Amino acid sequence: MIDERQAVAAFAALGQEHRLRIVRALVTAGPDGLAAGALAGEVGVSGTNLSFHVKELSRTGLIQSRREGRSIIYSAAYTPLSGLIEFLMRDCCQGRPEVCTPAVEALAACCSPTGITTHV
C-alpha cells in the first residue's frame, strides 16, 4: 500500500506535462511498453529530454524499463499506479457511496467484460 510520502513524490512527478504524457502513453501501450524512440515520438520530446523525464518517473516507481537487444523498452508500472489511485480513493465515501460511484464507474468502463483493458 502506498503511503503519503510516496503519493506526494508520484504526484510531483506527474505534475509535469511531458511526464504525464509519458505515463499515459505507456498505460495505453499496455504491458509490452514502448521503445525509447517510439515513446519520445509519441509524446513529442527529444531522446535526451525523454531520458530526463523517465529517470524521474522511474525513481517514483511509476514506470519501469528493460533492455531488449540494443533498445530500452519502457512500460507502465501498473501496481504502483493502481496504488496511487487507491490512495486517493481509500477514504472517499465516508458512508456515502454516491461520492465514489462516478470514479468507480469510469474505471469499470475502461475494462471489457472479458477482462481485457481497452484504452481511451
Side-chain angles (χ1 to χ4, degrees), residues 3-5 21 25 29-30 37 39 51 54 61 67 70 77 84 86 90-91 96 100 103 108 114-115:
D3 64 25
E4 188 172 292
R5 181 187 53 79
R21 287 183 190 165
L39 180 57
S51 179
V54 297
R67 185 168 287 282
R70 294 177 50 174
L84 192 57
E86 178 192 353
R90 187 175 304 139
D91 302 318
R96 296 178 47 218
C100 293
T114 60

Side-chain angles (χ1 to χ4, degrees), residues 8 16 20 36 39 116:
V8 168
Q16 201 283 339
L20 182 59
L39 180 57
I116 300 171

Side-chain angles (χ1 to χ4, degrees), residues 35-86:
L39 180 57
E42 179 84 19
V43 299
V45 297
S46 69
T48 304
N49 203 344
L50 178 75
S51 179
F52 170 77
H53 292 301
V54 297
K55 178 179 163 188
E56 182 64 18
L57 292 166
S58 294
R59 185 187 66 75
T60 61
L62 297 176
I63 68 170
Q64 53 203 9
S65 64
R66 67 185 185 278
R67 185 168 287 282
E68 286 185 8
R70 294 177 50 174
S71 297
I72 297 176
I73 309 296
Y74 293 100
S75 58
Y78 291 100
T79 300
L81 286 166
S82 295
L84 192 57
I85 294 167
E86 178 192 353

Side-chain angles (χ1 to χ4, degrees), residues 86-95 99-100:
E86 178 192 353
F87 176 84
L88 281 177
M89 302 301 294
R90 187 175 304 139
D91 302 318
C92 73
C93 295
Q94 299 294 315
V99 173
C100 293

Side-chain angles (χ1 to χ4, degrees), residues 18-37:
H18 291 113
R19 292 183 197 144
L20 182 59
R21 287 183 190 165
I22 289 167
V23 170
R24 293 191 73 196
L26 292 176
V27 166
T28 301
D32 291 338
L34 291 170

